[in-house]
mmCIF file with all atom_site columns, all heavy atoms in Angstrom:
data_model
loop_
_atom_site.group_PDB
_atom_site.id
_atom_site.type_symbol
_atom_site.label_atom_id
_atom_site.label_alt_id
_atom_site.label_comp_id
_atom_site.label_asym_id
_atom_site.label_entity_id
_atom_site.label_seq_id
_atom_site.pdbx_PDB_ins_code
_atom_site.Cartn_x
_atom_site.Cartn_y
_atom_site.Cartn_z
_atom_site.occupancy
_atom_site.B_iso_or_equiv
_atom_site.pdbx_formal_charge
_atom_site.auth_seq_id
_atom_site.auth_comp_id
_atom_site.auth_asym_id
_atom_site.auth_atom_id
_atom_site.pdbx_PDB_model_num
ATOM 1  N N   . LEU A 1 41 ? 8.612  7.401  4.679   1.00 92.00 ? 44 LEU A N   1
ATOM 2  C CA  . LEU A 1 41 ? 8.500  6.902  3.282   1.00 92.00 ? 44 LEU A CA  1
ATOM 3  C C   . LEU A 1 41 ? 7.332  7.529  2.516   1.00 92.00 ? 44 LEU A C   1
ATOM 4  O O   . LEU A 1 41 ? 7.451  7.789  1.375   1.00 92.00 ? 44 LEU A O   1
ATOM 5  C CB  . LEU A 1 41 ? 8.332  5.337  3.385   1.00 92.00 ? 44 LEU A CB  1
ATOM 6  C CG  . LEU A 1 41 ? 8.318  4.626  2.038   1.00 92.00 ? 44 LEU A CG  1
ATOM 7  C CD1 . LEU A 1 41 ? 9.651  4.906  1.257   1.00 92.00 ? 44 LEU A CD1 1
ATOM 8  C CD2 . LEU A 1 41 ? 8.131  3.166  2.324   1.00 92.00 ? 44 LEU A CD2 1
ATOM 9  N N   . ALA A 1 42 ? 6.288  7.786  3.241   1.00 93.00 ? 45 ALA A N   1
ATOM 10 C CA  . ALA A 1 42 ? 5.022  8.360  2.599   1.00 93.00 ? 45 ALA A CA  1
ATOM 11 C C   . ALA A 1 42 ? 5.157  9.833  2.414   1.00 93.00 ? 45 ALA A C   1
ATOM 12 O O   . ALA A 1 42 ? 4.382  10.432 1.701   1.00 93.00 ? 45 ALA A O   1
ATOM 13 C CB  . ALA A 1 42 ? 3.884  8.055  3.348   1.00 93.00 ? 45 ALA A CB  1
ATOM 14 N N   . SER A 1 43 ? 6.153  10.532 3.051   1.00 94.00 ? 46 SER A N   1
ATOM 15 C CA  . SER A 1 43 ? 6.309  11.889 2.855   1.00 94.00 ? 46 SER A CA  1
ATOM 16 C C   . SER A 1 43 ? 6.756  12.346 1.427   1.00 94.00 ? 46 SER A C   1
ATOM 17 O O   . SER A 1 43 ? 7.621  11.617 0.879   1.00 94.00 ? 46 SER A O   1
ATOM 18 C CB  . SER A 1 43 ? 7.339  12.538 3.829   1.00 94.00 ? 46 SER A CB  1
ATOM 19 O OG  . SER A 1 43 ? 6.890  12.316 5.168   1.00 94.00 ? 46 SER A OG  1
ATOM 20 N N   . PRO A 1 44 ? 6.209  13.402 0.826   1.00 94.00 ? 47 PRO A N   1
ATOM 21 C CA  . PRO A 1 44 ? 6.632  13.703 -0.545  1.00 94.00 ? 47 PRO A CA  1
ATOM 22 C C   . PRO A 1 44 ? 8.129  14.050 -0.624  1.00 94.00 ? 47 PRO A C   1
ATOM 23 O O   . PRO A 1 44 ? 8.686  14.670 0.308   1.00 94.00 ? 47 PRO A O   1
ATOM 24 C CB  . PRO A 1 44 ? 5.785  14.980 -0.771  1.00 94.00 ? 47 PRO A CB  1
ATOM 25 C CG  . PRO A 1 44 ? 4.590  14.914 0.100   1.00 94.00 ? 47 PRO A CG  1
ATOM 26 C CD  . PRO A 1 44 ? 5.107  14.200 1.367   1.00 94.00 ? 47 PRO A CD  1
ATOM 27 N N   . VAL A 1 45 ? 8.689  13.516 -1.580  1.00 94.00 ? 48 VAL A N   1
ATOM 28 C CA  . VAL A 1 45 ? 10.125 13.822 -1.901  1.00 94.00 ? 48 VAL A CA  1
ATOM 29 C C   . VAL A 1 45 ? 10.313 15.118 -2.512  1.00 94.00 ? 48 VAL A C   1
ATOM 30 O O   . VAL A 1 45 ? 11.219 15.886 -2.197  1.00 94.00 ? 48 VAL A O   1
ATOM 31 C CB  . VAL A 1 45 ? 10.740 12.685 -2.773  1.00 94.00 ? 48 VAL A CB  1
ATOM 32 C CG1 . VAL A 1 45 ? 12.174 12.999 -3.100  1.00 94.00 ? 48 VAL A CG1 1
ATOM 33 C CG2 . VAL A 1 45 ? 10.627 11.304 -2.170  1.00 94.00 ? 48 VAL A CG2 1
ATOM 34 N N   . SER A 1 46 ? 9.364  15.486 -3.355  1.00 92.00 ? 49 SER A N   1
ATOM 35 C CA  . SER A 1 46 ? 9.270  16.795 -4.006  1.00 92.00 ? 49 SER A CA  1
ATOM 36 C C   . SER A 1 46 ? 7.838  16.998 -4.366  1.00 92.00 ? 49 SER A C   1
ATOM 37 O O   . SER A 1 46 ? 6.978  16.124 -4.139  1.00 92.00 ? 49 SER A O   1
ATOM 38 C CB  . SER A 1 46 ? 10.178 16.819 -5.248  1.00 92.00 ? 49 SER A CB  1
ATOM 39 O OG  . SER A 1 46 ? 9.628  16.038 -6.300  1.00 92.00 ? 49 SER A OG  1
ATOM 40 N N   . PRO A 1 47 ? 7.415  18.210 -4.806  1.00 89.00 ? 50 PRO A N   1
ATOM 41 C CA  . PRO A 1 47 ? 6.038  18.459 -5.190  1.00 89.00 ? 50 PRO A CA  1
ATOM 42 C C   . PRO A 1 47 ? 5.491  17.449 -6.225  1.00 89.00 ? 50 PRO A C   1
ATOM 43 O O   . PRO A 1 47 ? 4.324  17.139 -6.161  1.00 89.00 ? 50 PRO A O   1
ATOM 44 C CB  . PRO A 1 47 ? 6.046  19.836 -5.824  1.00 89.00 ? 50 PRO A CB  1
ATOM 45 C CG  . PRO A 1 47 ? 7.239  20.501 -5.136  1.00 89.00 ? 50 PRO A CG  1
ATOM 46 C CD  . PRO A 1 47 ? 8.272  19.398 -5.000  1.00 89.00 ? 50 PRO A CD  1
ATOM 47 N N   . ARG A 1 48 ? 6.388  16.875 -7.003  1.00 91.00 ? 51 ARG A N   1
ATOM 48 C CA  . ARG A 1 48 ? 5.895  15.884 -7.997  1.00 91.00 ? 51 ARG A CA  1
ATOM 49 C C   . ARG A 1 48 ? 6.449  14.490 -7.919  1.00 91.00 ? 51 ARG A C   1
ATOM 50 O O   . ARG A 1 48 ? 6.304  13.665 -8.820  1.00 91.00 ? 51 ARG A O   1
ATOM 51 C CB  . ARG A 1 48 ? 6.235  16.438 -9.415  1.00 91.00 ? 51 ARG A CB  1
ATOM 52 C CG  . ARG A 1 48 ? 5.435  17.707 -9.707  1.00 91.00 ? 51 ARG A CG  1
ATOM 53 C CD  . ARG A 1 48 ? 5.645  18.121 -11.112 1.00 91.00 ? 51 ARG A CD  1
ATOM 54 N NE  . ARG A 1 48 ? 4.981  19.434 -11.315 1.00 91.00 ? 51 ARG A NE  1
ATOM 55 C CZ  . ARG A 1 48 ? 4.819  20.000 -12.501 1.00 91.00 ? 51 ARG A CZ  1
ATOM 56 N NH1 . ARG A 1 48 ? 5.379  19.439 -13.587 1.00 91.00 ? 51 ARG A NH1 1
ATOM 57 N NH2 . ARG A 1 48 ? 4.249  21.140 -12.548 1.00 91.00 ? 51 ARG A NH2 1
ATOM 58 N N   . LEU A 1 49 ? 6.952  14.084 -6.761  1.00 95.00 ? 52 LEU A N   1
ATOM 59 C CA  . LEU A 1 49 ? 7.486  12.823 -6.474  1.00 95.00 ? 52 LEU A CA  1
ATOM 60 C C   . LEU A 1 49 ? 7.049  12.302 -5.109  1.00 95.00 ? 52 LEU A C   1
ATOM 61 O O   . LEU A 1 49 ? 7.475  12.882 -4.122  1.00 95.00 ? 52 LEU A O   1
ATOM 62 C CB  . LEU A 1 49 ? 9.036  12.743 -6.616  1.00 95.00 ? 52 LEU A CB  1
ATOM 63 C CG  . LEU A 1 49 ? 9.645  11.378 -6.328  1.00 95.00 ? 52 LEU A CG  1
ATOM 64 C CD1 . LEU A 1 49 ? 9.106  10.303 -7.281  1.00 95.00 ? 52 LEU A CD1 1
ATOM 65 C CD2 . LEU A 1 49 ? 11.139 11.422 -6.393  1.00 95.00 ? 52 LEU A CD2 1
ATOM 66 N N   . VAL A 1 50 ? 6.124  11.295 -5.139  1.00 95.00 ? 53 VAL A N   1
ATOM 67 C CA  . VAL A 1 50 ? 5.570  10.809 -3.895  1.00 95.00 ? 53 VAL A CA  1
ATOM 68 C C   . VAL A 1 50 ? 5.579  9.265  -4.002  1.00 95.00 ? 53 VAL A C   1
ATOM 69 O O   . VAL A 1 50 ? 5.139  8.746  -5.010  1.00 95.00 ? 53 VAL A O   1
ATOM 70 C CB  . VAL A 1 50 ? 4.127  11.329 -3.675  1.00 95.00 ? 53 VAL A CB  1
ATOM 71 C CG1 . VAL A 1 50 ? 3.589  10.764 -2.366  1.00 95.00 ? 53 VAL A CG1 1
ATOM 72 C CG2 . VAL A 1 50 ? 4.077  12.795 -3.742  1.00 95.00 ? 53 VAL A CG2 1
ATOM 73 N N   . PHE A 1 51 ? 5.963  8.612  -3.017  1.00 94.00 ? 54 PHE A N   1
ATOM 74 C CA  . PHE A 1 51 ? 5.913  7.166  -2.942  1.00 94.00 ? 54 PHE A CA  1
ATOM 75 C C   . PHE A 1 51 ? 4.573  6.724  -2.405  1.00 94.00 ? 54 PHE A C   1
ATOM 76 O O   . PHE A 1 51 ? 4.027  7.372  -1.517  1.00 94.00 ? 54 PHE A O   1
ATOM 77 C CB  . PHE A 1 51 ? 6.982  6.527  -2.158  1.00 94.00 ? 54 PHE A CB  1
ATOM 78 C CG  . PHE A 1 51 ? 8.341  6.694  -2.785  1.00 94.00 ? 54 PHE A CG  1
ATOM 79 C CD1 . PHE A 1 51 ? 9.276  7.636  -2.308  1.00 94.00 ? 54 PHE A CD1 1
ATOM 80 C CD2 . PHE A 1 51 ? 8.689  5.820  -3.897  1.00 94.00 ? 54 PHE A CD2 1
ATOM 81 C CE1 . PHE A 1 51 ? 10.488 7.857  -2.941  1.00 94.00 ? 54 PHE A CE1 1
ATOM 82 C CE2 . PHE A 1 51 ? 9.976  5.992  -4.416  1.00 94.00 ? 54 PHE A CE2 1
ATOM 83 C CZ  . PHE A 1 51 ? 10.839 7.011  -4.016  1.00 94.00 ? 54 PHE A CZ  1
ATOM 84 N N   . ALA A 1 52 ? 4.036  5.637  -2.864  1.00 94.00 ? 55 ALA A N   1
ATOM 85 C CA  . ALA A 1 52 ? 2.803  5.074  -2.418  1.00 94.00 ? 55 ALA A CA  1
ATOM 86 C C   . ALA A 1 52 ? 2.817  3.590  -2.375  1.00 94.00 ? 55 ALA A C   1
ATOM 87 O O   . ALA A 1 52 ? 3.689  2.977  -2.983  1.00 94.00 ? 55 ALA A O   1
ATOM 88 C CB  . ALA A 1 52 ? 1.653  5.568  -3.254  1.00 94.00 ? 55 ALA A CB  1
#
Side-chain angles (χ1 to χ4, degrees):
L44 182 61
S46 298
V48 176
S49 72
R51 295 187 184 186
L52 178 59
V53 183
F54 290 103

